[in-house]
Amino acid sequence: MASSSQCIGAGPSSGEEVAAAVLNGDGTVLHWSQAAAELLGRTAAEVCGQPVTNLLADVPDRNCRARTGTAAVSAAGRALLRHHSGDTIEVAFQTLPLENRTEFLVLAAPLRWVADWEQGAALLRALLAQDRIGISIYDTDLRLVRSNITPELAGRPAALLDPRQGEAMAAPDDAEAADTALHRVLTTGVPVIGHEQRTRPPRIPGRQRYTSLSAVRLEGIHGRPTGVATLVTDTGGRYRSHQRHLDLLHQASAHIGRSLDVKRTAQDLVDVLVPALGDVAWVNVAEAVFDGDEPPKLVGAGDPHLRRTAIASAGPRLGALLQPGAAIPPYRDTPGLRRLQHGGAVIIDPARAVALVNSAEPIQRFVPEHAHSGMWAPLFARDLVLGTVTLWRTGESEPFEQDDADLLTEITSRAALSVDNARRYTREHRAAVALQQRLLPRTTTDTAAAETVGHYLPAAGGAEVSGDWFDAIPLPSLRAAFVVGDVVGRGLHATATMSSLRTAVYTLADLEMDPDELLTHLDDLVTHLATETDQTHQDAIGATCLYARYDPVSRRCTMASAGHPPPILIQPDGTARLLDLAPGPPLGVGGMPFETTTLELDPGSVLALYTDGLIEGADHDPVAGLRRLIDRLTAHSRQSGSLDVLGRAVLDDVADPSPRDDIALLLVHVRALAADATAVWEFPADPAVVTEARNAVTRQLGAWGLDEAVFTTELIVSELVTNAIRYAGGPVGLRLIRHDSLICEVTDPSNTQPRLRRARTTDEGGRGLFLVAQLAGRWGSRYGQSGKTIWAEQSLAADPAGAFADVK
């Protein structure tokens, strides 16, 4: 038979599908197989005795034809044959000399079949030659015929690699399931894809690994089953599959970073890792991170300035391991240390872990008991190494593999960003708190009007600092103003707004405005601040405020509210009640008046002024929170000996441990001057009464034992009464108040503002107020509903006894 293309070597191996013919030395067909008859549609009777060239559809290639008269004939190639129907069939053929050397056996098969066989053989050889996928071939009785799984690949003889062998399986059920799966594939032809099974590595007794089994049926050309081929791959997760890794990543994304607290974030990280990926895990964080600062950029050996921050274990005991808060020893200059500090997760063993730390402490401080495989990864974010994560497997668990290290790298990279976010929030939060606390007044004051103690508790739990504040402002004539407010919004913007409002309140209070008038001016200020703010933040400019003014002489307290919760009054007997106060609109609303409420307070009473953060607890029910506050104020006021103790006790009982809003609490213990600490006179608008006023003051100062203050006080009274009679008319009121200072007040019906000026040498008058300003420590004026009061204050050497009528 002649070739139409090239000579080839190996032919098909299945005689059932190969056409065969026997030729003599002249190329005459002597014998014709049934497969040949089916191939060309020609029977043996039609072909036998005819030259084989009659079957060719092309011109023979002389270089590759069969030769007669030679001792050995062997040729192979391709030929184009003519079918009985007239079609052509391209075949690959091979000629083999028979024993007598005068006849030749010719084998032929369609070229497309030969190509499939060659590719299949090449594929099988390639699969059997690699060591990452286990290939096994079984016959129709499911007997193992061929496999590439060697003892080096699986740790057991190839004869025992049959997936139906219970010895290879981790459980009898797995062996039975594998046997059933292979029988089903052989019977139905439906392949098995990714059947997970557990096997026991013989070199690691007591442990198991997961493998994936896929099986397909082998068939001949005519579709007859010839066996089963299986592919076994290690899923890469000796404890979990790829899906479990995805689940762990999802869990890490959902649970890490929920808090803006560094310690909470670190604890969330180890809780995700244990027991899902390891048995013991801990996180060490740079000390600077806890203060919101950037950690030092340590490269190589030295003190890393780390502290154990969080630790978790799958078991109940942690042994002698370093606990949270403990300092981490310095690093030794070991090989690969710099890669450990700035790379991804690496797999380590106990010896390497111990070699890393420069410490004389026992190994149990740094490596868990029975640990055999560990991973170490830096918390690296924004070019900063914020800390480290260490994970160990103990006991009979599988050692870590590279897939585990890659997974830990991805988890820690996400966690590092969360830790850095918490660090940056801590820095901003501390700055805002520090700024706000610097802007708040002293926490305690002690004046003639009252003793005050203020408490401020910043927001926690991830919230930003807001603009709560309190103030105790001393006023002339021994009076005092008490303020508590809450700015809308959070963060530094709210703190800045709070600072502006506090400054404004202090200035307006010094003008001795009535509470409703003061709040009206404050409302105008908030409206003005809103107009100066970016339009997108204008709705966030606003505040609530409560302003109270107390006079220890009259024991009258006048207050007004701008959308703020009313104060609570604790009476001297310890009972507490909510004051009935007409609330006005919050500051910034505008267009609505504020109303004042005046009440007389018993000496020893305590006012509690607070912000809504104190009554809006976890239940978000301010009414219930207000009841709790009143109850606790009543209970603790009967037990506490001081305002500070009372305030701390109330905060411990009422305030949320992690408040989502700032809390400000101002406790005011009011006092009252004794009746004989004041003297009051009223004179008509007659210049002759100036002498009478001086004489009255002299007698009163003598009765108080203040003879050394007579001369100065007479001059001040003489000038103020003279000015009142001359410029305002009568009646003229005169009042002396004795405390640690001596205060002289002159009241007239005029609303004209007194003006201090320096008289020229030729002027006959105009030196009255200038003289008063020189003699008094300070002076000023205030306006009432009708008229004004000019006051002058002189310091006394010592506090006179019996100035208070304070009873607690």
Side-chain angles (χ1 to χ4, degrees), residues 166-181:
E167 182 180 352
M169 298 294 109
D173 292 343
D174 292 331
E176 182 179 352
D179 182 71
T180 301

Side-chain angles (χ1 to χ4, degrees), residues 187-264:
T187 304
T188 65
V190 178
V192 169
I193 305 297
H195 172 73
E196 191 174 68
Q197 58 185 15
R198 294 169 294 172
T199 59
R200 292 192 302 262
R203 296 180 181 177
I204 315 176
R207 299 180 190 169
Q208 64 185 27
R209 66 193 303 168
Y210 283 88
T211 59
S212 175
L213 171 67
S214 299
V216 295
R217 186 171 72 178
L218 301 177
E219 298 177 349
I221 294 177
H222 299 293
R224 299 186 185 93
T226 61
V228 175
T230 63
L231 293 85
V232 178
T233 57
D234 192 331
T235 59
R238 297 179 177 178
Y239 275 91
R240 61 209 50 85
S241 64
H242 178 66
Q243 183 60 45
R244 292 189 182 92
H245 280 196
L246 293 179
D247 292 342
L248 186 57
L249 281 175
H250 175 73
Q251 184 179 2
S253 300
H255 290 83
I256 299 175
R258 296 176 299 175
S259 170
L260 287 174
D261 178 76
V262 174
K263 294 182 180 179
R264 181 68 261 173

Side-chain angles (χ1 to χ4, degrees), residues 353-397:
V354 174
L356 182 65
V357 294
N358 187 9
S359 174
E361 294 189 75
I363 185 176
Q364 291 81 6
R365 300 286 284 168
F366 312 107
V367 179
E369 188 177 1
H370 306 304
H372 61 83
S373 180
M375 289 194 296
W376 189 96
L379 287 171
F380 190 75
R382 300 184 178 98
D383 295 328
L384 298 175
V385 180
L386 305 174
T388 62
V389 179
T390 306
L391 184 64
W392 289 97
R393 284 181 179 172
T394 61
E396 297 181 349
S397 56

Side-chain angles (χ1 to χ4, degrees), residues 315-327:
R317 298 182 60 186
L318 292 171
L321 290 171
L322 294 177
Q323 297 300 303

